[in-house]
């Protein structure tokens, strides 16, 4: 039998409608009668009737407000409006919101029957009792009726996500998720603080009557209880507090917009983040990033594993902030580091991998959390440490590497053969031939090449004038800087800057 409720602020009208038609003969049972809009909405959410006859003008909420709220919450109750003459045009217009029909007071029996028949005509006929289970059956319908059992009228939507362990198969994850949802249902029911359901494969948690200031404490307690059962970390994205149930879907959509941060959840000090608030604090600029990149390179060349691990940890923290919830950006920063080290090692005549950029990116994309991403790229960089170690088997290689390291750190200074020869404890004349033999080019050309690499970086990342850049990379004469730049890059520094800047993607 179909269920129906009535709502009108004039009891004589609801009583009259009950007597006007033999509802039982139509297969309809009247399960509730209300005299204001707010109570009518609570009745719809609690009892989930198939049909509602609603007055347009009622205290608490109007009939149209109730209809809109039902649409927001995806409640399937169908509505027939009843209106006085003064509200007739309003009721007529409200049909566009999904009402089946509208009736003018006083309600005439034939018109009421015609409106109800419109509803009955679109109802699906009963099928046999055969049950076919599909993946859609895993969805849990939102039982908003439980929220009206508490008097408080504000709600906080929350998106909870389980951080699964790397390597767990799909079936195990499915069972863990099922166990977590079952726990949430029991926990929330016992505490009377909200509901949980599944929509579009997303867990939706709605807290009821919880102040924003106390929300984190409630979720921390819930988290600890859940983790004791499923043995997995849980992270919550907390939405903004709303006063109407119809605003819950919008506030929850804002939670989903922050899902990218969950990739970095293992870097969070707590189990929750809030919409509209910065997740990872601290300011980081590109110069600091460059400093730590050089620190990683120096540690690899210097074979200092402690310094390497320390610099790498610092780099990971900075990238976490710069990526700002974007996994792809995090992958890009680590690929940039590896490509930079490849380039520097090749220039120094040390073993490099010359990795394919697409392959590097895919390695990061295939990780499930930031901690795993850090491990993947650290392993790649650790391989460089071992490769450099194996290449330094002779004193000659160690000496040329020491000379190149010194040039890299002091390229801004007045570097001469005498300065470098003293650094590696050689005679100046011998050092000149030694450097060319080991590096494959003469000392002066190598120094100029290093200086130009840094000059290009400044040209593309700053607005400094050419003569300023020349002085910053070790040239006292701007004209000499321009001549060498043109010889290496076949265009002036200004032309190079304009061409590359135009080709950069917006």
């Amino acid at each position: 039998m179909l269920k129906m409720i009535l709502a009108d602020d004039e009891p004589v009208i609801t009583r009259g409608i009950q007597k006007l038609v033999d509802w039982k003969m139509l297969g309809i049972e009247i399960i509730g009668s209300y005299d204001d809009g707010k109570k009518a909405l609570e009745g719809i959410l609690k009892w989930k009737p198939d049909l509602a006859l609603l007055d347009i003008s009622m205290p608490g909420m109007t009939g149209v407000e109730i209809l809109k709220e039902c649409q927001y919450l995806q409640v399937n109750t169908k509505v027939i409006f009843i209106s006085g003459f003064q509200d007739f045009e309003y009721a007529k217009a409200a049909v566009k919101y999904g009402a089946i029909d509208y009736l003018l007071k006083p309600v005439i029996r034939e018109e009421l029957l015609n409106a109800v028949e419109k509803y009955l005509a679109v109802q699906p006929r009963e099928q046999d009792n055969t049950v076919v289970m599909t993946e859609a059956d895993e969805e849990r319908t939102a039982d908003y009726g439980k929220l009206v059992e508490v008097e408080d009228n504000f709600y906080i939507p929350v998106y909870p996500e389980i951080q699964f362990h790397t390597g767990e198969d799909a079936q195990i994850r499915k069972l863990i998720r099922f166990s977590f949802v079952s726990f949430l249902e029991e926990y929330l029911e016992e505490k009377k603080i909200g509901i949980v359901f599944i929509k579009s494969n997303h867990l939706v948690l709605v807290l009821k009557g919880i102040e924003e200031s106390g929300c984190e404490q409630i979720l921390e307690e819930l988290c600890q209880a859940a983790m004791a059962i499923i043995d997995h970390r849980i992270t919550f994205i907390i939405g903004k507090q709303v006063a109407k149930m119809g605003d819950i879907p919008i506030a929850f959509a804002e939670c989903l917009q922050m899902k990218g941060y969950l990739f970095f959840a293992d870097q969070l000090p707590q189990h929750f983040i809030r919409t509209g608030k910065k997740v990872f604090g601290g300011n980081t600029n590109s110069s600091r990033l460059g400093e730590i990149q050089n620190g990683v390179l120096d540690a690899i060349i210097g074979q200092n594993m402690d310094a390497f691990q320390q610099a790498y940890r610092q780099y990971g923290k900075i990238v976490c902030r710069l990526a700002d919830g974007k996994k792809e950006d995090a992958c890009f920063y680590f690929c940039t580091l590896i490509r930079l080290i490849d380039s520097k090692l090749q220039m120094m005549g040390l073993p490099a991998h010359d990795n394919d950029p697409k392959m590097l990116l895919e390695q990061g994309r295939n990780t499930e959390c930031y901690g795993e991403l850090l491990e993947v790229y650290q392993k790649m960089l650790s391989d460089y440490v071992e490769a450099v170690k194996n290449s330094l088997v002779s004193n000659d290689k160690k000496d040329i590497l020491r000379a190149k390291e010194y040039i890299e750190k002091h390229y801004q200074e007045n570097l001469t053969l005498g300065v470098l020869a003293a650094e590696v404890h050689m005679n100046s004349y011998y050092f000149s031939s030694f450097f060319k033999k080991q590096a494959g080019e003469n000392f002066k050309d190598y120094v100029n090449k290093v200086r130009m690499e840094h000059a290009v970086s400044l040209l593309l990342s700053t607005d400094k004038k050419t003569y300023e850049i020349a002085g910053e990379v070790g040239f006292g004469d701007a004209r000499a800087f321009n001549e060498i730049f043109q010889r290496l890059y076949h265009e002036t520094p200004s032309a190079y800057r304009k061409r590359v800047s135009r080709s950069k993607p917006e």
Side-chain angles (χ1 to χ4, degrees), residues 162-428:
I162 303 166
Q163 267 66 66
F164 292 107
H165 301 153
T166 302
E168 284 177 333
D169 63 36
Q171 187 62 28
I172 291 294
R173 295 185 180 198
K174 191 174 181 180
L175 291 171
I176 291 170
R177 189 171 189 248
F178 179 82
S179 177
F180 178 54
V181 175
S182 298
F183 161 79
L184 283 177
E185 289 176 331
E186 293 178 9
Y187 187 92
L188 296 170
E189 178 68 25
E190 178 185 347
K191 302 284 186 180
K192 302 293 182 187
I193 56 173
I195 60 171
V196 63
F197 56 94
I198 301 174
K199 182 66 179 174
S200 301
N201 204 35
H202 291 122
L203 281 181
V204 184
L205 174 62
V206 181
L207 297 178
K208 172 70 183 285
I210 305 296
E211 295 285 355
E212 281 191 300
S213 58
C215 179
E216 294 179 0
Q217 179 62 35
I218 293 291
L219 290 176
E220 184 62 37
E221 292 172 2
L222 186 156
C223 182
Q224 295 304 323
M227 287 172 61
I229 294 173
I230 65 172
D231 191 29
H232 284 66
R233 180 188 172 96
I234 303 155
T235 305
F236 301 94
I237 302 177
I238 305 172
K240 66 182 180 184
Q241 186 184 93
V242 296
K244 295 192 303 182
M245 278 186 271
D247 291 333
I248 292 173
I250 298 171
F252 184 74
E254 293 175 357
C255 294
L256 295 183
Q257 289 174 5
M258 297 189 71
K259 275 189 68 178
Y261 287 100
L262 296 177
F263 177 77
F264 303 85
D266 54 4
Q267 307 299 306
L268 292 169
Q270 65 280 329
H271 292 279
F272 37 77
I273 59 179
R274 285 185 175 273
T275 58
K277 292 192 176 181
K278 195 172 181 64
V279 177
F280 296 105
N283 297 318
T284 302
N285 54 41
S286 56
S287 62
R288 178 60 179 155
L289 192 72
E291 289 175 13
I292 298 183
Q293 287 176 336
N294 289 331
V296 174
L297 175 64
D298 290 344
I300 290 173
I301 295 172
Q303 297 291 285
N304 188 332
M305 282 303 296
D306 289 340
F308 165 73
Q309 290 172 357
Q310 182 179 354
Y312 185 77
R313 281 195 298 269
Q314 290 177 324
Y315 191 77
K317 289 178 181 178
I318 287 180
V319 168
C320 191
R321 292 199 292 269
L322 289 174
D324 196 28
K326 300 177 185 68
K327 178 181 180 180
E328 189 76 4
D329 285 8
C331 294
F332 172 79
Y333 282 117
F334 280 98
C335 292
T336 299
L337 172 63
I338 291 173
R339 299 271 294 171
L340 172 68
I341 288 174
D342 255 333
S343 173
K344 293 291 186 181
L345 292 181
Q346 285 181 22
M347 194 173 78
M348 292 181 174
L350 292 169
H353 297 167
D354 196 21
N355 291 295
D356 177 8
K358 290 183 180 179
M359 181 277 294
L360 287 176
L361 279 172
E362 281 304 311
Q363 293 277 354
R365 288 170 179 161
N366 292 334
T367 59
E368 294 190 40
C369 64
Y370 192 62
E372 184 185 353
L373 180 145
L374 289 174
E375 290 178 5
V376 165
Y377 288 121
Q378 183 174 7
K379 173 64 171 61
M380 291 184 187
L381 291 168
S382 296
D383 290 344
Y384 285 110
V385 178
E386 190 64 25
V388 169
K389 178 182 177 181
N390 293 336
S391 72
L392 300 178
V393 292
S394 71
N395 287 331
D396 284 351
K397 287 189 176 182
K398 289 180 181 178
D399 288 338
I400 193 65
L401 176 60
R402 187 174 176 184
K404 288 181 174 181
E405 276 190 90
Y406 190 88
I407 293 169
E408 183 64 36
K409 290 180 180 179
H410 300 272
Y411 66 90
Q412 297 169 302
E413 302 170 11
N414 182 27
L415 291 177
T416 64
L417 274 171
V419 170
L420 266 294
E423 180 65 22
V424 294
H425 308 294
M426 289 185 185
N427 176 277
S428 296

Side-chain angles (χ1 to χ4, degrees), residues 72-137:
Y72 288 142
L73 301 174
Q74 298 183 332
V75 176
N76 293 323
T77 298
K78 301 302 180 185
V79 172
I80 297 174
F81 282 128
I82 306 169
S83 70
F85 183 78
Q86 67 275 17
D87 298 316
F88 185 66
E89 289 302 318
Y90 188 30
K92 185 177 178 181
V95 172
K96 71 181 181 181
Y97 294 117
I100 289 177
D101 209 340
Y102 54 91
L103 304 171
L104 189 62
K105 295 180 184 179
V107 177
I108 299 172
R109 183 174 183 276
E110 286 71 22
E111 292 179 352
L112 177 58
L113 284 172
N114 286 337
V116 172
E117 284 175 4
K118 282 185 183 179
Y119 165 72
L120 295 175
V122 298
Q123 292 307 297
R125 298 189 178 186
E126 291 186 5
Q127 304 294 324
D128 60 49
N129 293 327
T130 304
V131 178
V132 180
M133 296 297 291
T134 67
E135 288 188 9
D137 294 314

Side-chain angles (χ1 to χ4, degrees), residues 460-480:
L460 300 181
S461 63
T462 73
D463 295 326
K464 292 181 178 180
K465 299 184 182 302
T466 301
Y467 71 85
E468 293 176 317
I469 293 174
E472 194 163 325
V473 299
F475 284 90
D477 184 354
R479 188 171 64 178

Side-chain angles (χ1 to χ4, degrees), residues 17-122:
I17 289 174
Q18 292 183 58
K19 296 177 180 179
L20 198 59
V21 173
D22 187 346
W23 296 105
K24 186 174 291 187
M25 186 185 72
L26 293 176
I28 296 175
E29 177 187 1
I30 297 175
I31 60 171
S33 180
Y34 305 93
D35 58 8
D36 74 63
K38 188 173 184 299
K39 290 178 182 176
L41 177 61
E42 292 178 352
I44 290 172
L45 295 176
K46 186 171 183 179
W47 303 114
K48 302 174 183 63
D50 303 285
L51 183 63
L53 268 65
L54 306 177
D55 187 14
I56 282 283
S57 297
M58 291 183 288
M61 295 180 76
T62 68
V64 174
E65 287 174 337
I66 293 172
L67 180 58
K68 288 181 178 179
E69 199 83 352
C70 288
Q71 288 179 334
Y72 288 142
L73 301 174
Q74 298 183 332
V75 176
N76 293 323
T77 298
K78 301 302 180 185
V79 172
I80 297 174
F81 282 128
I82 306 169
S83 70
F85 183 78
Q86 67 275 17
D87 298 316
F88 185 66
E89 289 302 318
Y90 188 30
K92 185 177 178 181
V95 172
K96 71 181 181 181
Y97 294 117
I100 289 177
D101 209 340
Y102 54 91
L103 304 171
L104 189 62
K105 295 180 184 179
V107 177
I108 299 172
R109 183 174 183 276
E110 286 71 22
E111 292 179 352
L112 177 58
L113 284 172
N114 286 337
V116 172
E117 284 175 4
K118 282 185 183 179
Y119 165 72
L120 295 175
V122 298

